[in-house]
Amino acid sequence: MRNHKYAWALTLLLAAAALCAGLYIKIYYFAEGGDRSVSVVLKSSSVRSNFWQAVSAGAAAAAKESGATIDIQGPLEETDADTQVRLLQDALAARRSSVVVAPVDDPRVSEAVQAIRKAGIRVVVIDMPLQSGTAPVSVLNDHREAGRQAGQTAADLTDGRPNVAIVSDFERSRVSGEREAGVREAVNGYPGGVTEIYYCEDSEDKAYEIMKAVLAMPEPPSVVVALNETAALGAARAIIEAGDQRIKLIGFDSSVYEIRLLEDGVMSALIVQKPFNMGYLGVKAALKRAEPRGASRVSYTDSVVVTKSNMYAPENQKLLFPFDGDGS
C-alpha cells in the first residue's frame, strides 16, 4: 500500500515537472522572439503598381534580415475593401505573431484590424491610419507634408506667384484630402493661391477632359497639381494633345509612365515617396516585442521632389527605379 502511495506521488511530481518545463519553454520561446512570422496585407498586390511592389520588396527584405517568415498579400484594386477584410480574417486564422496592414479606407477594415488586436496579435499600420478605432503602432506616409512640397514647388516654378488648380480623385479620399491641405498651406502665403479643385473620380479619361477644359480657359492657372497617378496621366495626355505646355504639371508617385513624362518635360515635378522604406520599417516594427517606454507609436516616411534636372542623381535613381539596384 505504501509503495502505491509513493508511485502516485512520483507520477504527480513528474507530471508537474513536465508541465512546468513545457510552460517555461513556451515563455522562453516567445520572450526571445522565437515566433517570428508576419502577415502583410497591402492595399494592392498588383504587379502593375510600382509603389506597392516596392512596399512588398521592403517588407520582404526586413523579414529576411530578421530571420522571420512572411506572407504578403493584397487585393488587385486599392479600393477593394471586401477582399482586404477577407485577407485580414485569414491572417487572424493563421495566428502569425504579427500583422502589417496598409488599410483600405473602410470601417469594415478597421473592425477586422481591431479583431486581430483583441486576439493578442501585434498589429502595425502603414501608409494611412485606420479610419476608426484605437491606433496601433504606425509607419505612415506624411501626405500633408508631400502636399506642402508640391505647393512649394508650384511657387518656385512661378517665381512666387502660383495660381494653382488641383485635380483630385474623390472628395472623400483621406490621402488626397491630406495632400490638398498641404498644397493649400504652402501656396496660401503667395499671391494667387489655389483657385479651383476638380474631381476626376480616379478616371484618367475624366482627368483628360478636365485638363482640356482648363487649357481652353481665357486665363488658365499657371500650375496644375494632380494628386495621384491617374489624374496626372489624364492631365498629361491633354497637354500632349494640345501641344501647349504653358501650364506646369506636378504629380505624385513615380510610375514608369510618369517618369517618362518627366523626362520628356511634360511634367515639371514628381513628389516621390519612399515605399521601400515604409514596407521595411513596418515589418521591423512588427517584429519588435515591445516599444521602449515613452517611444512614439507613430513614425513617418518622407518624400522627395524630383525634377528633370535632378532625376539622374544617384539617390533619386534609387527612388525612381527601386528594382534596378538594391532597392534601399
Side-chain angles (χ1 to χ4, degrees):
M1 188 66 181
R2 179 174 295 178
N3 287 340
H4 283 295
K5 286 183 178 178
Y6 284 142
W8 274 109
L10 183 61
T11 302
L12 289 172
L13 188 61
L14 290 173
L19 181 63
C20 289
L23 187 60
Y24 171 79
I25 289 170
K26 189 172 183 180
I27 291 172
Y28 181 80
Y29 179 69
F30 280 98
E32 292 298 311
D35 181 23
R36 300 174 71 78
S37 57
V38 189
S39 283
V40 178
V41 181
L42 302 177
K43 272 185 184 174
S44 171
S45 61
S46 171
V47 294
R48 297 187 62 188
S49 170
N50 285 357
F51 182 88
W52 291 112
Q53 289 300 307
V55 174
S56 179
K64 182 179 180 182
E65 187 177 292
S66 304
T69 59
I70 190 166
D71 177 63
I72 304 174
Q73 299 197 51
L76 288 178
E77 300 292 335
E78 289 192 23
T79 54
D80 186 355
D82 291 339
T83 298
Q84 192 173 61
V85 167
R86 180 178 58 75
L87 292 174
L88 288 168
Q89 291 169 342
D90 291 347
L92 174 59
R95 301 292 301 181
R96 293 178 183 269
S97 64
S98 51
V99 172
V100 176
V101 57
V104 174
D105 206 8
D106 189 292
R108 294 171 297 160
V109 171
S110 298
E111 291 169 8
V113 170
Q114 298 302 344
I116 293 172
R117 296 183 72 194
K118 285 179 182 174
I121 298 172
R122 182 176 174 82
V123 174
V124 173
V125 169
I126 60 174
D127 188 38
M128 280 292 289
L130 292 172
Q131 193 180 73
S132 60
T134 308
V137 172
S138 305
V139 180
L140 307 176
N141 278 317
D142 193 341
H143 295 290
R144 183 172 292 236
E145 178 56 27
R148 287 192 198 98
Q149 290 175 304
Q152 185 57 52
T153 302
D156 295 341
L157 289 169
T158 55
D159 296 325
R161 303 185 67 83
N163 182 354
V164 177
I166 294 174
V167 183
S168 182
D169 48 1
F170 296 99
E171 191 170 4
R172 66 176 184 277
S173 167
R174 285 194 298 156
V175 170
S176 296
E178 287 290 306
R179 290 175 178 176
E180 178 194 339
V183 173
R184 290 182 183 277
E185 286 175 11
V187 302
N188 278 350
Y190 295 95
V194 174
T195 57
E196 192 61 75
I197 181 164
Y198 305 94
Y199 297 99
C200 69
E201 299 175 349
D202 218 20
S203 163
E204 187 178 318
D205 287 340
K206 287 189 176 179
Y208 164 77
E209 295 296 337
I210 289 168
M211 194 67 196
K212 275 183 67 176
V214 169
L215 286 166
M217 289 178 174
E219 295 184 8
S222 54
V223 180
V224 166
V225 177
L227 297 184
N228 66 9
E229 180 189 349
T230 302
L233 295 183
R237 178 151 58 99
I239 290 173
I240 293 170
E241 185 179 280
D244 183 349
Q245 295 191 14
R246 288 174 300 161
I247 300 177
K248 308 294 184 185
L249 179 60
I250 298 173
F252 287 77
D253 303 327
S254 56
S255 72
V256 291
Y257 309 106
E258 290 178 299
I259 294 169
R260 191 175 302 152
L261 290 166
L262 184 68
E263 197 165 30
D264 291 344
V266 178
M267 299 204 65
S268 298
L270 289 173
I271 312 302
V272 181
Q273 297 171 322
K274 298 180 177 178
F276 184 95
N277 292 13
M278 188 173 67
Y280 180 88
L281 295 173
V283 168
K284 283 289 186 179
L287 291 171
K288 283 184 180 177
R289 297 310 307 167
E291 297 297 317
R293 187 181 296 276
S296 172
R297 292 173 61 81
V298 180
S299 57
Y300 292 96
T301 57
D302 57 358
S303 304
V304 174
V305 179
V306 179
T307 63
K308 187 174 181 178
S309 63
N310 69 10
M311 67 184 295
Y312 298 108
E315 63 273 21
N316 289 338
Q317 286 287 290
K318 283 187 177 181
L319 281 175
L320 297 176
F321 305 103
F323 302 110
D324 287 349
D326 59 10
S328 57

